[in-house]
């Protein structure tokens, strides 16, 4: 542990004035050596204020697709700022935002051709939800205000998005938004219905239909879900699940929202995860990899037919984001996409994701590894259990989990360790770096198992 008197002045200033957006560590843990101040990055490597190097096993927060240290993105943003940085999204546009909207519409599946810009993923979800509710009302369904989300999902922390999020903290922030109901999410390891594989996916989809009927189709505006829910443990549903959801929503006039804030922009080995399922949603949210974190930007892509409802006079979307379509952010996103295309990084995500997943299979030999999931792009999850037979989880605050999180960090791997350890590195990850990541997890997990051996079945 780093004592207070050993700290760099930046660490001290941060602990005195900065309010970190985190519940990974408690305040007392941060103040006793848990704080990291990164000052430089290159590729998949981060360097802290003390000169220590780390492998970025989480792309920041599932964000930095193109890798750290891309000076050409910084240069593109600086050049844009010299011309014009800001135009009000309510009544004007700028060339960067227009070009980016055109580029997004060329890459999204189907007729998702209209783009509404935001500042971050939570705002994108809020915007998609408002779009869905308003268009239902304008189509003559004024009572269609309810949203069906999924248990264990994550859609953001602004109030509406948090109301949809499976881990919403009712104790602090409730009551949440009315009209939200939550249904089981695909899970091939701990299925709510005791089913395996596709059978469990089908039951989850049927549950959505039952919930629509229970709430009354005349009351349901939309169904929202992440194609692959990272927050819920990175469970990969089969194509039948999303294809059934598309059919069910169409049957009852309910809109389908795909939340691709994490999965979009190559994370799953295709531009958007929807491509794996052959489904075009009515609304698609995106953020994170859109700019690889070089600028705060997000968007909602809408089907052309949906936007048509907003064209007549008096029907404008009753919603505004001050920094939506920010010119500098849009310029950064455009250069990021250019890099992803030029260097074939989406294909690289698929290739390296397969390799990382194959390497991770050896972790199954550990008595505390119940499941290893991934293989579809650079998303990999290692599910920890006390007992492989019962699949009993440790819980996110157990000392076993805290110890493992600390040790992996000390060994030079930045990741997230809860019940599940996530690996989602930048697409520029090398094979040697993938091997190093798994070796660190393997070694630190062995230490943790020795330390807590009396609690492992």
């Amino acid at each position: 542990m780093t004592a207070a008197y050993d700290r760099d002045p930046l660490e001290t200033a941060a602990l005195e004035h900065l309010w970190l957006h985190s519940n990974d560590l408690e305040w007392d843990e941060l103040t006793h050596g848990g704080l990291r101040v990164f000052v430089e990055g290159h590729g998949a490597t981060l360097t802290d204020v003390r000169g220590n190097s780390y492998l970025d096993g989480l792309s920041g927060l599932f964000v930095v697709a193109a890798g750290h240290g891309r000076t050409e993105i910084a240069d593109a943003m600086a050049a844009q700022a010299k011309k014009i940085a800001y135009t009000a999204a309510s009544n004007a546009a700028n060339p960067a935002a227009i070009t980016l909207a055109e580029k997004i519409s060329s890459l999204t599946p189907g007729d998702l051709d209209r783009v509404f810009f935001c500042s971050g993923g939570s705002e994108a979800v809020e915007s998609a939800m408002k779009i869905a509710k308003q268009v239902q009302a304008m189509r003559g369904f004024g009572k269609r205000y309810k949203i069906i989300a999924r248990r264990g999902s994550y859609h953001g922390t602004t109030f509406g998005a948090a109301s949809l999020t499976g881990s919403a903290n009712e104790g602090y922030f409730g009551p949440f938004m009315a009209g939200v109901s939550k249904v089981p999410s695909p899970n091939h390891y701990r299925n709510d219905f005791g089913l395996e594989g596709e059978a469990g996916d089908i039951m989850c989809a049927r549950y959505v239909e039952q919930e629509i009927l229970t709430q009354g189709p005349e009351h349901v505006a939309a169904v929202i879900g992440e194609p692959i829910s990272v927050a819920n443990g990175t469970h990969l549903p089969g194509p039948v699940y999303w294809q059934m959801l598309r059919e069910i929503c169409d049957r009852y006039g309910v809109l389908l929202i795909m939340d691709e804030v994490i999965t979009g922009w190559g994370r799953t080995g295709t531009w958007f995860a929807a491509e794996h399922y052959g489904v075009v949603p009515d609304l698609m949210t995106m953020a994170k990899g859109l700019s690889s974190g070089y600028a705060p930007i997000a968007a909602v892509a809408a089907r052309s037919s949906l936007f048509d409802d907003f064209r007549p006079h008096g029907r404008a979307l009753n919603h505004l984001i001050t920094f939506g379509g920010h010119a500098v952010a849009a310029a950064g996103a455009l250069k990021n996409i250019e890099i992803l295309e030029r260097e074939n990084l989406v294909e690289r995500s698929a290739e390296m994701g397969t390799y990382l997943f194959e390497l991770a299979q050896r972790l199954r030999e550990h008595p505390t590894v119940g499941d290893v999931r991934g293989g579809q792009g650079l998303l990999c999850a290692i599910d920890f259990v006390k007992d492989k037979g019962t699949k009993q989880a440790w819980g996110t605050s157990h000392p076993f989990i805290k110890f493992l999180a600390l040790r992996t960090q000390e060994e030079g791997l930045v990741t997230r360790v809860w019940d599940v350890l996530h690996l989602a590195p930048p697409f520029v990850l090398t094979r040697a770096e993938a091997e190093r990541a798994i070796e660190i997890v393997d070694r630190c997990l062995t230490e943790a198992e020795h330390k807590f051996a009396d609690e492992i079945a």
Side-chain angles (χ1 to χ4, degrees):
M1 296 287 185
T2 303
Y5 54 80
D6 289 328
R7 290 196 181 104
D8 183 271
L10 276 175
E11 296 175 88
T12 301
L15 291 171
E16 290 180 355
H17 302 292
L18 186 63
W19 196 330
L20 293 180
H21 300 205
S22 174
N23 60 356
D24 289 351
L25 291 173
E26 299 294 338
W27 185 250
D28 59 342
E29 294 172 314
L30 281 170
T31 56
H32 286 83
L35 184 65
R36 293 171 298 197
V37 178
F38 294 122
V39 296
E40 191 175 351
H42 179 75
T45 299
L46 292 165
T47 303
D48 70 13
V49 71
R50 297 170 175 276
N52 300 312
S53 294
Y54 301 80
L55 176 61
D56 186 356
L58 210 60
S59 297
L61 200 58
F62 307 96
V63 173
V64 190
H68 299 278
R70 294 283 189 170
T71 55
E72 58 182 304
I73 298 180
D75 292 341
M77 293 171 66
Q80 180 61 55
K82 291 177 181 178
K83 295 178 181 178
I84 187 167
Y86 178 79
T87 57
S90 59
N91 55 24
N94 61 74
I98 294 168
T99 305
L100 180 58
E102 184 179 33
K103 185 63 180 179
I104 290 172
S105 68
S106 75
L107 294 172
T108 48
D111 60 342
L112 291 165
D113 294 332
R114 187 63 60 165
V115 181
F116 181 91
F117 284 116
C118 317
S119 305
S122 295
E123 285 185 358
V125 170
E126 293 275 348
S127 301
M129 185 169 54
K130 287 184 177 180
I131 291 169
K133 291 189 177 194
Q134 183 170 335
V135 77
Q136 291 284 19
M138 292 192 307
R139 289 175 176 178
F141 305 106
K143 293 184 178 180
R144 285 194 171 205
Y145 70 96
K146 295 186 176 183
I147 309 288
I148 296 174
R150 302 186 308 193
R151 300 170 193 165
S153 63
Y154 181 83
H155 296 292
T157 56
T158 52
F159 191 77
S163 299
L164 306 177
T165 291
S167 59
N169 195 319
E170 192 83 28
Y172 288 137
F173 308 123
F176 282 107
M177 183 178 69
V180 176
S181 56
K182 293 170 184 172
V183 298
S185 180
N187 186 324
H188 291 183
Y189 185 58
R190 297 184 183 90
N191 183 265
D192 285 351
F193 307 101
L195 300 171
E196 296 184 2
E198 188 176 85
D201 294 342
I202 290 171
M203 187 61 76
C204 287
R206 287 177 176 169
Y207 203 105
V208 173
E209 182 174 26
Q210 290 301 309
E211 188 63 22
I212 291 173
L213 293 172
T214 298
Q215 297 295 331
E218 70 277 12
H219 296 134
V220 181
V223 171
I224 186 170
E226 308 130 297
I228 300 168
S229 180
V230 172
N232 205 25
T234 311
H235 295 278
L236 282 65
V240 66
Y241 171 77
W242 278 103
Q243 291 164 6
M244 286 182 68
L245 283 196
R246 178 71 277 179
E247 293 169 3
I248 290 165
C249 287
D250 288 343
R251 188 178 308 139
Y252 298 106
V254 173
L255 298 180
L256 181 60
I257 304 172
M258 269 190 169
D259 184 351
E260 295 239 28
V261 167
I262 286 180
T263 56
W265 299 104
R267 177 55 60 184
T268 67
T270 54
W271 282 105
F272 296 95
E275 298 171 51
H276 292 293
Y277 305 109
V279 167
V280 179
D282 299 293
L283 294 159
M284 176 187 285
T285 60
M286 61 188 72
K288 296 187 184 285
L290 173 57
S291 71
S292 281
Y294 285 80
I297 188 169
V300 181
R303 302 186 81 162
S304 299
S305 57
L306 188 151
F307 177 76
D308 287 343
D309 287 87
F310 293 87
R311 288 180 181 272
H313 183 74
R315 287 193 162 199
L317 178 63
N318 192 24
H319 181 56
L320 170 66
I321 301 293
T322 297
F323 293 104
H326 192 278
V328 176
L334 279 167
K335 183 58 69 171
N336 172 64
I337 296 169
E338 178 187 317
I339 291 170
L340 294 178
E341 290 184 311
R342 185 180 72 227
E343 298 183 12
N344 298 314
L345 290 181
V346 176
E347 294 83 355
R348 184 173 179 81
S349 172
E351 174 192 343
M352 292 305 300
T354 298
Y355 185 61
L356 183 66
F357 182 60
E358 290 173 352
L359 290 173
Q361 296 309 307
R362 77 187 201 205
L363 299 174
R364 290 182 181 274
E365 298 175 2
H366 284 269
T368 59
V369 174
D371 196 21
V372 177
R373 296 183 289 273
Q376 195 163 280
L378 278 165
L379 279 176
C380 187
I382 300 148
D383 199 319
F384 299 122
V385 295
K386 288 185 175 183
D387 186 328
K388 286 192 176 186
T390 63
K391 302 179 182 179
Q392 180 186 0
W394 290 89
T396 58
S397 61
H398 192 282
F400 173 89
I401 297 297
K402 295 286 189 180
F403 176 83
L404 185 59
L406 177 62
R407 286 295 296 124
T408 51
Q409 176 182 320
E410 289 174 342
E411 290 299 307
L413 176 65
V414 177
T415 184
R416 170 185 283 171
V417 186
W418 291 349
D419 283 346
V420 171
L421 185 150
H422 294 281
L423 290 173
F427 303 169
V428 293
L429 182 80
T430 66
R431 293 173 77 89
E433 288 170 333
E435 292 160 7
R436 178 183 163 212
I438 298 302
E439 190 277 329
I440 290 173
V441 175
D442 190 6
R443 185 171 67 253
C444 294
L445 189 53
T446 298
E447 291 180 25
E449 288 166 346
H450 286 159
K451 185 175 179 65
F452 296 92
D454 59 342
E455 297 187 52
I456 300 171

